[in-house]
Amino acid sequence: GAGVSQSPSNKVTEKGKDVELRCDPISGHTALYWYRQSLGQGLEFLIYFQGNSAPDKSGLPSDRFSAERTGGSVSTLTIQRTQQEDSAVYLCASSLYKDRGHGYTFGSGTRLTVV
Amino acid sequence: AQTVTQSQPEMSVQEAETVTLSCTYDTSENNYYLFWYKQPPSRQMILVIRQEAYKQQNATENRFSVNFQKAAKSFSLKISDSQLGDTAMYFCAFMLGSNFGNEKLTFGTGTRLTIIP
């Protein structure tokens, strides 16, 4: 597609439920990133996928968070047993590997609210 | 680990004036990139300008320019002839150079800029 697409745009869920957030990167972009933006905060790195390499999961805050990227394209971020502190905007971005000087292209994010 | 600091949580300026947003960073490496991103209410992060650390010349993109002081580890953004559409959150970000495997961006906490009509 022309840009990075994320769905849903907004999600309200009850505490304890599982949620799945989807990211469809720009076609041909080999690198994909997930970031979390809490109210009034900067962007917190969660996970990074690059081609067929093992993902960098160093930013995932707990084992309730997981992500996968199927076929080197679409990615799903899953949060199990959601907690109120998980409420945030989850941003996805993609980039061309070895083109890092041009930064990322971001999606519009998913605003997750846990009630 | 690299850190990015934006010391101005909020700023406001009259339309058509010039405003400068501050950013400092900390790294022990010499090869890296610096970025300014804009986040309007639509939430989408938009790349405003980038700077390669090995280039001494300050980057410029139309009304946006940077003052890159490598020794001081400072990377400020100047917006000239500010427009109402410049109202947004602005984030400074850092990325290590290509001799490192991870392309992770490290962000500051942002500056909320309001352009007053």
Side-chain angles (χ1 to χ4, degrees):
Chain A
V4 177
S5 177
Q6 290 189 247
S7 60
S9 180
N10 294 282
K11 175 72 176 179
V12 180
T13 190
E14 292 181 353
K15 179 181 174 181
K17 296 285 181 67
D18 297 353
V19 295
E20 287 189 349
L21 312 180
R22 176 187 168 103
C23 174
D24 197 347
I26 291 174
S27 178
H29 279 194
T30 55
L32 186 147
Y33 317 80
W34 283 97
Y35 281 77
R36 179 169 71 175
Q37 184 178 20
S38 302
L39 187 64
Q41 302 293 315
L43 276 72
E44 173 191 8
F45 168 77
L46 296 177
I47 189 168
Y48 158 60
F49 294 91
Q50 170 49 46
N52 295 321
S53 302
D56 176 355
K57 304 179 182 180
S58 61
L60 294 178
S62 76
D63 58 9
R64 296 186 296 104
F65 288 73
S66 63
E68 62 177 20
R69 188 180 184 191
T70 54
S73 181
V74 172
S75 177
T76 302
L77 176 68
T78 301
I79 309 173
Q80 295 178 312
R81 305 180 303 281
T82 52
Q83 304 294 312
Q84 288 185 329
E85 61 262 29
D86 299 334
S87 295
V89 175
Y90 290 82
L91 289 164
C92 176
S94 68
S95 72
L96 280 170
Y97 187 55
K98 297 182 180 179
D99 195 26
R100 64 180 64 205
H102 292 81
Y104 307 163
T105 301
F106 281 86
S108 296
T110 295
R111 181 180 298 280
L112 175 66
T113 303
V114 182
V115 298
Chain B
Q2 286 71 40
T3 59
V4 178
T5 301
Q6 293 179 251
S7 58
Q8 304 154 311
E10 294 188 22
M11 294 187 72
S12 60
V13 66
Q14 292 290 135
E15 189 177 6
E17 291 186 349
T18 295
V19 61
T20 299
L21 309 183
S22 300
C23 173
T24 59
Y25 58 95
D26 189 24
T27 183
S28 58
E29 305 298 338
N30 276 313
N31 182 12
Y32 53 87
Y33 299 88
L34 294 162
F35 305 86
W36 278 97
Y37 278 89
K38 168 185 178 180
Q39 187 181 40
S42 66
R43 292 199 311 245
Q44 185 166 16
M45 300 280 283
I46 301 165
L47 179 62
V48 174
I49 197 165
R50 64 180 186 267
Q51 175 80 41
E52 297 163 28
Y54 62 86
K55 289 188 176 180
Q56 293 185 334
Q57 186 173 7
N58 289 324
T60 299
E61 289 286 344
N62 300 312
R63 298 183 294 108
F64 299 87
S65 62
V66 298
N67 182 3
F68 174 46
Q69 301 290 327
K70 191 172 184 178
K73 297 179 182 175
S74 171
F75 183 61
S76 61
L77 173 70
K78 185 172 84 170
I79 305 174
S80 303
D81 185 27
S82 57
Q83 301 175 0
L84 297 179
D86 296 333
T87 294
M89 281 288 287
Y90 286 81
F91 291 95
C92 179
F94 173 101
M95 180 190 289
L96 286 172
S98 57
N99 51 318
F100 298 92
N102 197 320
E103 303 163 23
K104 181 171 61 180
L105 271 173
T106 300
F107 288 86
T109 52
T111 296
R112 184 176 301 281
L113 176 65
T114 302
I115 308 301
I116 303 167

